[in-house]
């Protein structure tokens, strides 16, 4: 049996699963189910990334040990995937001993080979994305990926000789244009390789949570190196050589486009350094957005897949079918690789048109005819060669699409076959045959129709597992449709006669016109604050006593401000391009007084001056907020 090894990213454990994560995982699950039905020996893995710095800090904030904290969280991910019918074969947690051993062993080997060396690292680090950036890539100290403020990191680190593998990778890319997909992502990576790779830091000395370097345990392995290695841990490296030789290299890593560089360049280089084969393919898909913004925890526009399924169950009356609705929508709506905006109206439209009308009605129209004319028993009928040819062609197209990970195309092909079956009913008009008393012709028509339903069950099984099983059982077919191998089953005319059909409860009933919205509007989730949150801000009237420039910072001024406290505050403000020190001294301003202090260009800034601004850079206009009349410093602003 040929093997097929596919993976999802391992998700940061302290994130909350949202539909973005579900997207990759559902796509992987469909692929895994499809490959199993094509007779492959599938290894499908997902898991959690637990050694990020933010995990350590979140645990500390809750007064928990990091270990207790991650153990509490791991279940949430598994629960979500179980609900969504994800059939993973292994769920890896990077804090498991089996993985930590692999990480230590791997870096030790690279060190012994001379591909890891000690050096001094300085550069920008995004705490949130766990990513490092070189000076040239950074503007305004903000993370190029997520826009958050970056930290300047300067420490003794170990480096990986990434640059050494630049040429080999470039050659590999040129020889294998299918290595990274879709093309746009391939081209981005090719450009990165052409512009030259620099060695990367692969350890941190300021952390304790993670895998210590065996040759210098004061250092912890950089979380991304640690995380990428999960893909060989689950494949058995290095202990289980037999398993490793069977499953490695991975056939495809499914990832979001923001982590493509880690998977398409750094990961293959690490493998090359260890003398291990590179993965066969990386597919970097697009983002789900809401009103154009990426769905993410930080933007507060997340949709919890469990909550969404709960709501959809109100429509379907069956939770497993509700899961199918979500799985269908998320893969049908947007071509895999492109970005897509999640709207309730498109979900509803797909539900009504594709699922209720095309799919659900097909079953609703067919089964009563068998019940009425043949006592619910599948009659003997002769295969219709035209329909058989349509089915065969659909199967070929669906397979081609799925082999290319074109999930939406595959569904379009299945739906076009459903269209043919619906048309077949309209044209053959079996109800007329009943009236005309032509039982033999009627038997032929119904047999072919039911055979079409059997094919439908098989074709939709990877995408809509519960619905497929309901179709299967309603035809009286035994066992699990997901276990049936396409090459053996998808032959026109294999439906046995004599089975008893049974009508299931309606699968996709029309939602009540008055049914409540499925998901809260994007801007009503976290963008609007409850009044208690506003009350957390301590805004006070202040009087600027002194203003002075800061050497080397042309935008900043250091202000000494009286806010009615015994001691005046030092506040650094980015207003030097708009106000001279003389214009500020003696002025009344509004101060955010309970902001955490921050070091800005060597000055400890304790508060923030409020200003209104519009435009960017050269065109920026800025005006300080002030208060009318005579109000003493320290007065509360609310
Ligand atoms: N822990 C790293 C991955 C390490 S893999 C060796 C990480 N984790 S994450 O929790 O941030 O998950 C990122 C992945 O979640 C994306 O690459 C993508 O697969 C999925 N998505 C997260 N948000 C998404 C959208 N808004 N849209 C589509 N997919 C999204 O990065």
């Amino acid at each position: 049996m040929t093997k097929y090894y596919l993976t999802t990213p391992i998700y940061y454990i302290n994130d909350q699963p949202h539909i973005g994560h579900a997207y990759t995982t559902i796509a992987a699950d469909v692929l895994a189910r499809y490959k199993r039905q094509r007779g492959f020996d599938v290894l499908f893995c997902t898991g959690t990334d637990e050694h990020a710095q933010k995990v350590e800090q979140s645990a500390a904030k809750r007064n928990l040990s990091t270990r207790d904290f991650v153990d509490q969280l791991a279940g949430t991910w598994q629960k979500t995937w179980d609900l969504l019918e994800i059939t993973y074969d292994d769920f890896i947690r990077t804090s498991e001993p089996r993985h930590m051993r692999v990480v230590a062993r791997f870096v030790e080997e690279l060190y012994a080979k001379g591909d890891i060396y000690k050096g001094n690292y300085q550069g920008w680090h995004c705490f949130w994305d766990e990513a490092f950036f070189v000076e040239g890539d950074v503007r305004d100290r903000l993370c190029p990926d997520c826009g958050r403020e970056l930290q300047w990191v300067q420490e003794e680190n170990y480096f990986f000789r990434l640059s050494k593998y630049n040429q080999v990778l470039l050659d590999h890319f040129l020889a294998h244009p299918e290595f990274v997909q879709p093309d746009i992502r391939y081209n981005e990576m090719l450009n990165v390789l052409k512009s030259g790779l620099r060695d990367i830091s692969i350890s941190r000395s300021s952390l304790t949570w993670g895998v210590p370097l065996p040759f210098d345990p004061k250092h912890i392995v950089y979380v991304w190196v640690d995380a990428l290695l999960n893909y060989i841990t689950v494949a058995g490296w290095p202990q289980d050589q037999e398993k490793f030789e069977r499953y490695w290299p991975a056939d495809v890593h499914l990832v979001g486009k923001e982590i493509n560089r880690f998977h398409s360049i750094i990961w293959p280089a690490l493998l090359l350094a260890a003398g291990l084969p590179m993965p066969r393919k990386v597919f970097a898909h697009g983002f789900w957005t809401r009103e154009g913004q990426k769905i993410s925890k930080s933007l507060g526009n997340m949709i919890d897949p469990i909550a969404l399924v709960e709501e959809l169950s109100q429509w379907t009356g069956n939770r497993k079918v509700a899961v199918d609705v979500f799985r269908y929508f998320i893969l049908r709506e947007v071509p895999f690789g492109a970005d897509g905006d999640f709207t309730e109206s498109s979900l509803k439209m797909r539900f009504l048109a594709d699922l209720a009308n095309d799919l659900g009605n097909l079953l609703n129209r067919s089964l009563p005819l068998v019940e009425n004319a043949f006592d619910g028993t599948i009659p003997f009928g002769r295969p219709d060669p035209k329909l058989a040819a349509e089915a065969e062609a659909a199967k070929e197209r669906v397979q081609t699409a799925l082999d290319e990970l074109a999930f939406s195309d595959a569904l379009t092909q299945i739906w076009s076959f459903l269209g043919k079956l619906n048309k077949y009913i309209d044209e053959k008009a079996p109800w007329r045959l009943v009236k005309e008393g032509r039982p033999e012709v009627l038997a032929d028509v119904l047999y072919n129709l039911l055979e079409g339903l059997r094919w439908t069950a098989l074709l939709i099984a990877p995408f809509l597992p519960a619905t497929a099983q309901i179709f299967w059982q309603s035809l009286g077919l035994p066992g699990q449709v997901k276990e049936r191998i396409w090459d053996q089953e998808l032959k026109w005319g294999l439906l046995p006669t004599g089975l008893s059909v049974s009508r299931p409860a309606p699968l996709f009933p029309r939602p009540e016109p008055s049914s409540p919205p499925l998901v809260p509007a994007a801007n009503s989730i976290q963008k609007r604050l409850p009044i208690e949150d506003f009350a957390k801000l301590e805004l006070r009237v202040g009087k600027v006593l002194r203003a002075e420039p800061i050497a080397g910072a042309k935008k900043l001024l250091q202000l000494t401000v009286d806010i009615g406290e015994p001691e005046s505050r030092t506040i650094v403000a980015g207003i030097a391009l708009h106000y001279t020190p003389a214009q500020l001294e003696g002025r009344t301003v509004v101060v955010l007084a309970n902001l955490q202090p921050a070091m800005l260009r060597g000055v400890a800034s304790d508060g923030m001056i409020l200003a209104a601004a519009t435009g960017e850079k050269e065109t920026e206009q800025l005006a300080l907020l002030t208060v009318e009349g005579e109000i003493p410093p320290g007065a509360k602003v609310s």
Side-chain angles (χ1 to χ4, degrees):
M1 217 196 263
T2 319
K3 68 88 190 180
Y4 193 82
Y5 176 26
L6 77 159
T7 66
T8 73
I10 48 170
Y11 304 106
Y12 287 128
I13 187 149
N14 62 330
D15 264 10
Q16 235 168 313
H18 59 68
I19 60 165
H21 306 117
Y23 183 45
T24 324
T25 314
I26 291 173
D29 183 60
V30 168
L31 192 58
R33 287 171 180 267
Y34 162 67
K35 289 286 175 184
R36 289 188 195 113
Q37 290 201 272
R38 294 300 309 279
F40 285 78
D41 163 20
V42 170
L43 178 62
F44 163 29
C45 302
T46 187
T48 44
D49 187 349
E50 306 193 357
H51 285 142
Q53 195 181 346
K54 57 189 169 190
V55 172
E56 196 174 13
Q57 299 201 350
S58 306
K61 260 195 228 156
R62 289 169 177 77
N63 277 332
L64 285 173
S65 77
T66 317
R67 164 61 50 203
D68 287 347
F69 179 58
V70 291
D71 285 348
Q72 276 181 17
L73 292 176
T76 314
W77 288 92
Q78 270 157 319
K79 200 175 121 213
T80 307
W81 302 150
D82 291 345
L83 176 93
L84 296 178
E85 301 288 332
I86 306 300
T87 54
Y88 55 81
D89 297 298
D90 198 345
F91 187 97
I92 178 153
R93 298 180 51 192
T94 52
S95 67
E96 287 174 70
R98 63 164 171 162
H99 178 66
M100 294 177 71
R101 278 196 298 272
V102 165
V103 176
R105 166 83 180 260
F106 190 91
V107 291
E108 197 163 28
E109 282 194 12
L110 262 53
Y111 186 63
K113 286 181 175 168
D115 273 347
I116 289 180
Y117 64 92
K118 201 172 193 175
N120 278 313
Y121 176 78
Q122 41 179 341
W124 294 106
H125 177 242
C126 175
F127 171 72
W128 189 264
D129 289 334
E130 288 290 359
F132 289 98
F133 300 96
V134 292
E135 192 85 55
D137 294 339
V138 170
R139 293 173 71 199
D140 299 331
R141 298 168 165 218
L142 297 179
C143 172
D145 286 345
C146 71
R148 288 187 181 77
E149 201 168 324
L150 295 168
Q151 288 173 329
W152 183 255
V153 178
Q154 200 164 356
E155 58 181 33
E156 195 171 63
N157 274 181
Y158 284 86
F159 284 74
F160 168 58
R161 288 189 205 284
L162 181 63
S163 58
K164 180 174 159 190
Y165 297 96
N166 201 153
Q167 191 57 45
V168 195
L169 284 174
L170 192 56
D171 293 344
H172 184 73
F173 265 67
L174 293 172
H176 300 276
E178 76 294 344
F179 180 54
V180 177
Q181 284 180 343
D183 288 351
I184 176 175
R185 306 291 158 229
Y186 169 87
N187 289 327
E188 279 171 3
M189 293 302 113
L190 191 64
N191 288 337
V192 171
L193 290 171
K194 283 183 179 161
S195 57
L197 297 178
R198 268 181 266 198
D199 293 351
I200 52 163
S201 153
I202 54 119
S203 73
R204 303 293 310 275
S205 58
S206 49
L207 309 176
T208 51
W209 173 245
V211 182
L213 291 179
F215 42 88
D216 191 347
K218 286 191 305 299
H219 293 256
I220 297 292
V221 175
Y222 173 40
V223 63
W224 261 102
V225 172
D226 176 335
L228 289 163
L229 289 167
N230 93 82
Y231 300 131
I232 57 170
T233 303
V234 286
W237 190 85
Q239 274 129 326
D240 191 344
Q241 270 308 311
E242 202 182 316
K243 180 172 184 188
F244 189 66
E245 272 163 29
R246 169 135 194 81
Y247 291 104
W248 194 257
D251 292 271
V252 66
H253 293 309
L254 296 185
V255 298
K257 63 185 177 183
E258 85 288 15
I259 58 173
N260 188 16
R261 188 171 54 106
F262 290 106
H263 285 82
S264 300
I265 293 182
I266 297 177
W267 177 225
L270 287 167
L271 289 164
L272 282 169
L276 298 174
M278 289 184 266
R280 294 222 163 91
K281 191 195 294 287
V282 175
F283 195 108
H285 65 67
F287 287 152
W288 277 98
T289 58
R290 292 192 75 192
E291 294 168 8
Q293 287 196 298
K294 184 186 174 202
I295 292 179
S296 72
K297 183 175 174 180
S298 51
L299 290 172
N301 59 358
M302 299 192 308
I303 299 170
D304 171 2
I306 300 194
L308 180 62
V309 164
E310 279 315 319
E311 294 299 328
L312 283 168
S313 308
Q314 311 278 332
W315 291 6
T316 59
N318 176 331
R319 209 182 206 224
K320 285 192 183 265
V321 176
V323 168
D324 283 1
V325 174
F326 173 51
R327 290 171 61 108
Y328 173 78
F329 172 75
I330 204 153
L331 290 179
R332 174 75 191 261
E333 185 65 6
V334 178
F336 204 54
D339 291 346
D341 207 55
F342 188 97
T343 64
E344 182 162 344
S345 56
S346 40
L347 173 56
K348 198 163 193 169
M349 225 147 74
R350 292 269 172 214
F351 180 84
L352 292 175
D354 301 359
L355 297 174
N357 274 2
D358 297 341
L359 185 63
N361 269 355
L362 187 62
L363 197 68
N364 296 344
R365 295 171 86 187
S366 314
L367 297 181
L369 290 164
V370 189
E371 286 173 357
N372 296 340
F374 296 99
D375 255 354
T377 305
I378 299 179
F380 170 79
R382 287 160 302 176
D384 179 324
K386 194 164 154 241
L387 209 50
E390 307 265 30
E392 191 55 42
K395 171 192 152 192
E396 290 300 323
R397 290 198 206 103
V398 171
Q399 287 180 178
T400 307
L402 282 177
D403 289 338
E404 289 169 2
L405 276 62
F407 299 101
S408 180
D409 282 357
L411 285 168
T412 306
Q413 294 304 337
I414 299 174
W415 256 251
S416 133
F417 175 59
L418 295 181
K420 304 262 163 55
L421 291 174
N422 275 312
K423 196 164 143 228
Y424 182 79
I425 308 188
D426 296 340
E427 282 176 3
K428 301 286 176 184
W431 46 91
R432 216 170 38 226
L433 300 173
V434 176
K435 263 199 225 141
E436 290 168 3
R438 296 164 67 197
E440 270 175 34
V441 188
L442 181 65
D444 283 347
V445 170
L446 290 185
Y447 180 82
N448 282 285
L449 202 52
L450 299 180
E451 175 62 341
L453 294 181
R454 190 182 69 90
W455 274 60
T456 302
L458 286 157
L459 291 173
I460 63 172
F463 293 93
L464 300 114
T467 308
Q469 186 59 26
I470 292 173
F471 267 55
W472 195 253
Q473 277 167 1
S474 66
L475 295 171
L477 289 161
Q480 295 286 317
V481 58
K482 67 175 182 204
E483 285 162 13
R484 300 300 176 112
I485 302 297
W486 278 15
D487 285 343
Q488 292 162 12
E489 293 282 339
L490 289 176
K491 292 187 180 134
W492 199 261
L494 287 192
L495 176 71
T497 54
L499 295 176
S500 295
V501 304
S502 56
R503 239 196 290 180
L507 286 167
F508 309 106
R510 285 178 177 274
E512 298 288 324
S514 60
S515 59
L518 285 175
V519 289
N523 64 1
S524 71
I525 302 177
Q526 269 184 25
K527 287 187 194 159
R528 304 284 179 112
L529 298 179
I531 186 77
E532 304 85 89
D533 279 7
F534 178 74
K536 289 183 194 153
L537 305 179
E538 191 187 327
L539 296 167
R540 298 203 174 273
V541 171
K543 185 162 184 191
V544 181
L545 304 177
R546 225 175 20 255
E548 52 210 312
I550 298 177
K554 62 181 193 315
K555 290 187 187 167
L556 302 181
L557 287 178
Q558 176 178 338
L559 310 178
T560 308
V561 187
D562 174 6
I563 61 160
E565 293 173 333
E567 301 262 283
S568 52
R569 297 266 190 121
T570 298
I571 298 179
V572 175
I575 54 176
L577 300 180
H578 304 274
Y579 293 89
T580 63
Q583 286 172 322
L584 292 166
E585 285 178 1
R587 229 183 144 118
T588 301
V589 288
V590 178
V591 175
L592 176 57
N594 63 339
L595 190 67
Q596 282 181 350
M599 285 300 279
L600 295 170
R601 293 294 173 126
V603 180
S605 177
D606 189 5
M608 180 200 262
I609 305 282
L610 301 191
T614 175
E616 278 182 46
K617 302 253 142 140
E618 291 76 27
T619 63
E620 186 184 51
Q621 282 180 287
L622 186 139
L624 282 177
L625 258 62
T626 188
V627 285
E628 267 192 323
E630 289 293 326
I631 296 264
K636 216 172 157 218
V637 178
S638 58

